Amino acid sequence: MFVDQVKINVKAGNGGNGMVAFRREKYVPNGGPAGGDGGRGGNVVFKVDSGMNTLMDFRYHRKFKAKNGGNGANKSMTGRSATDLVIPVPEGTTVTNTDTGEVIGDLVTPGQELIVAKAGRGGRGNIHFASPTNPAPEIAENGEPGQEVSLSLELKVLADVGLVGFPSSGKSTLLSVITSAKPKIAGYHFTTLVPNLGMVRLDDGRDFAVADLPGLVEGASNGVGLGFQFLRHVERTRVILHLVDMSGLEGRDPFEDYLAINKELEQYDERILKRPQIIVATKMDLPDSSDNLQTFKHQLAEHVNVDHAREIFPISSVTHTGLTELVRRTADLLDTTKLSDMEQVGDKTKEYDYKPAETSDFHIEYDKEYESWVISGDKIEKLFKMTDTEHDQSMLRFARQMHGMGIDAALQKAGAKDGDTVTILDFSFTYVE
């Protein structure tokens, strides 16, 4: 099954917890603090796998979580850092933050890596909190939480040449005779339901990839037919082969079909029409095709909004007429055509630093149901998660951090009174003025 759009959730590993420990050895009085640091958690990394050509692997597996770092130990030993979670993705995958709509990166080069969720650092052990006034601190940090991000993955097929045209214009048949691909071919519309890829190899050693895209219809850019789902795949092609059925068997006007498809491409992305486009007149082995082609050429010459420099190649995929010339001309165009917006995608961000949109460090509101003041916010919640609640000195340090952030004053201003309950995440304590 071909899958080219999925939504997933990724969670980087938390850092390991620091430890409260003291050096206790014979003949070493007052050994001092010896609690080690926690290890770093694992990042979540996307890596391009050239062997993949669909996002099918993500259809039933949509949650990915890297391992947490190891906790610190006594004798100042640091916990083990976790290995990164490497997730293979196919070439041509665009990664977007689902919540913000921000494009994180474009993965188009084999082996290219992108860190999409950064791991938390390990918490510090009590060896870092010793001071002249507190030489034996019972203070340690829990590990920093790893980033958690909701992502949208969109696959845009990487092909040098894209075949576009109305349904039953001969795209699948052409692909089957110029490449070794075996797309489904039948005498009804929308035979092709997913993009098909094939490789063309010339006698002179040149080769290029061709994508047969599902048939477009008028209104495709607005969601009509199947074309809207696959127009994105045209974005990455350098040359477009525009197939026009010249047989007239369906009672359609070839020139009107030609204009309609170009209009849909322009409405989807006007840059597409600036790329080299070859008009491929198909089904030339049928009786009326030659006359229809002459009429098409006259209409093309008279139409002021059409690029007159576009070449027309009459072909017949059944008799193989004109295929050699078409393939060679396409290869020549590829040799001289570069896609400017594709030249930079491989050098895009290697690491994504997700920063949730937060207007302030904390937010206070009163929960009438639980009769408690609730403090929320990314910064204060992160500080609390990194606080070792099992030791009084760590909690006193957290209280000082809250005071420094202005939370005490904000609670008092909001109307909190001595003895009120204050809640942060799942932890509650009593407010003291």
Side-chain angles (χ1 to χ4, degrees):
M1 182 181 293
F2 182 84
V3 178
D4 62 352
Q5 282 184 309
V6 293
K7 291 183 179 180
I8 64 172
N9 292 301
V10 297
K11 171 72 168 67
N14 300 332
N17 299 333
M19 187 176 188
V20 173
F22 297 92
R23 185 179 179 188
R24 294 184 175 91
E25 296 180 40
K26 193 175 183 179
Y27 308 121
V28 185
N30 304 322
D37 300 341
R40 180 187 64 82
N43 296 315
V44 179
V45 183
F46 285 163
K47 184 174 183 179
V48 176
D49 181 353
S50 57
M52 296 177 66
N53 55 17
T54 174
L55 297 174
M56 181 64 189
D57 291 352
F58 298 94
R59 188 175 177 86
Y60 302 107
H61 185 189
R62 303 203 177 193
K63 293 185 178 180
F64 298 85
K65 186 178 184 300
K67 292 184 179 180
N68 299 330
N71 296 331
N74 55 11
K75 298 184 180 179
S76 303
M77 291 191 292
T78 301
R80 181 188 298 273
S81 293
T83 55
D84 292 342
L85 174 61
V86 180
I87 304 172
V89 295
E91 294 178 62
T93 302
T94 300
V95 187
T96 305
N97 184 316
T98 305
D99 298 326
T100 65
E102 175 188 3
V103 176
I104 297 172
D106 234 346
L107 299 168
V108 297
T109 308
Q112 183 181 351
E113 295 185 356
L114 173 68
I115 299 176
V116 293
K118 293 177 65 176
R121 66 172 177 83
R124 292 176 293 176
N126 67 334
I127 57 175
H128 295 280
F129 297 97
S131 67
T133 57
N134 188 10
E138 293 187 5
I139 302 174
E141 287 179 334
N142 290 337
E144 180 185 18
Q147 293 179 343
E148 186 170 3
V149 192
S150 177
L151 301 174
S152 295
L153 306 185
E154 186 178 68
L155 176 62
K156 299 177 182 177
V157 170
L158 287 177
D160 303 301
V161 178
L163 305 182
V164 301
F166 265 82
S168 297
S169 60
K171 300 185 300 298
S172 297
T173 306
L174 175 61
L175 183 72
S176 68
V177 296
I178 64 174
T179 74
S180 58
K182 294 178 175 57
K184 183 178 180 180
I185 301 171
Y188 53 85
H189 290 183
F190 300 113
T191 308
T192 302
L193 299 177
V194 299
N196 291 306
L197 278 175
M199 287 296 298
V200 177
R201 291 180 173 83
L202 282 71
D203 295 337
D204 57 12
R206 293 182 293 176
D207 56 29
F208 56 86
V210 181
D212 162 27
L213 305 178
L216 303 178
V217 294
E218 192 168 357
S221 59
N222 295 318
V224 179
L226 295 174
F228 177 72
Q229 302 175 40
F230 302 107
L231 270 170
R232 72 179 70 91
H233 299 300
V234 186
E235 293 180 33
R236 309 226 171 178
T237 57
R238 288 187 285 153
V239 172
I240 295 174
L241 298 186
H242 189 155
L243 276 65
V244 182
D245 181 0
M246 291 293 168
S247 67
L249 291 179
E250 297 188 8
R252 303 186 60 86
D253 184 336
F255 187 67
E256 292 299 327
D257 286 356
Y258 170 78
L259 294 180
I261 295 299
N262 277 339
K263 181 180 179 182
E264 297 307 320
L265 294 176
E266 182 179 22
Q267 289 181 345
Y268 179 77
D269 186 346
E270 60 183 12
R271 295 176 300 175
I272 294 176
L273 288 187
K274 297 179 181 178
R275 298 173 194 170
Q277 183 180 130
I278 297 177
I279 302 172
V280 182
T282 64
K283 305 183 182 180
M284 293 303 297
D285 54 301
L286 297 178
D288 297 329
S289 296
S290 296
D291 294 338
N292 291 336
L293 177 58
Q294 293 305 316
T295 303
F296 179 86
K297 289 181 177 179
H298 289 307
Q299 290 173 310
L300 189 67
E302 293 173 357
H303 202 282
V304 294
N305 294 324
V306 174
D307 183 357
H308 299 282
R310 281 184 181 157
E311 301 170 89
I312 301 176
F313 278 79
I315 68 162
S316 169
S317 297
V318 175
T319 64
H320 291 199
T321 304
L323 295 183
T324 302
E325 294 79 1
L326 174 63
V327 169
R328 286 177 179 170
R329 180 55 185 151
T330 303
D332 292 340
L333 274 179
L334 288 171
D335 289 340
T336 59
T337 303
K338 290 184 179 180
L339 197 55
S340 59
D341 53 346
M342 281 289 293
E343 293 172 338
Q344 301 173 359
V345 290
D347 299 326
K348 281 192 175 181
T349 312
K350 299 292 184 183
E351 181 176 302
Y352 174 59
D353 189 7
Y354 173 55
K355 296 180 180 178
E358 186 68 37
T359 55
S360 60
D361 293 338
F362 63 89
H363 177 70
I364 298 175
E365 62 180 359
Y366 187 73
D367 189 326
K368 294 182 179 179
E369 181 180 356
Y370 295 98
E371 297 182 347
S372 174
W373 295 94
V374 179
I375 302 175
S376 59
D378 293 313
K379 184 175 181 179
I380 185 63
E381 290 176 4
K382 178 180 176 180
L383 284 175
F384 177 74
K385 289 177 180 177
M386 296 183 67
T387 299
D388 182 359
T389 57
E390 295 182 0
H391 292 88
D392 291 340
Q393 288 188 25
S394 292
M395 291 302 295
L396 288 173
R397 177 173 178 263
F398 178 65
R400 291 194 297 271
Q401 290 173 323
M402 290 177 60
H403 180 77
M405 292 175 64
I407 292 179
D408 290 352
L411 281 169
Q412 188 175 19
K413 185 177 179 180
K417 298 179 181 178
D418 199 23
D420 283 357
T421 301
V422 179
T423 301
I424 300 177
L425 296 175
D426 57 352
F427 184 83
S428 297
F429 59 91
T430 301
Y431 174 68
V432 180
E433 294 182 358

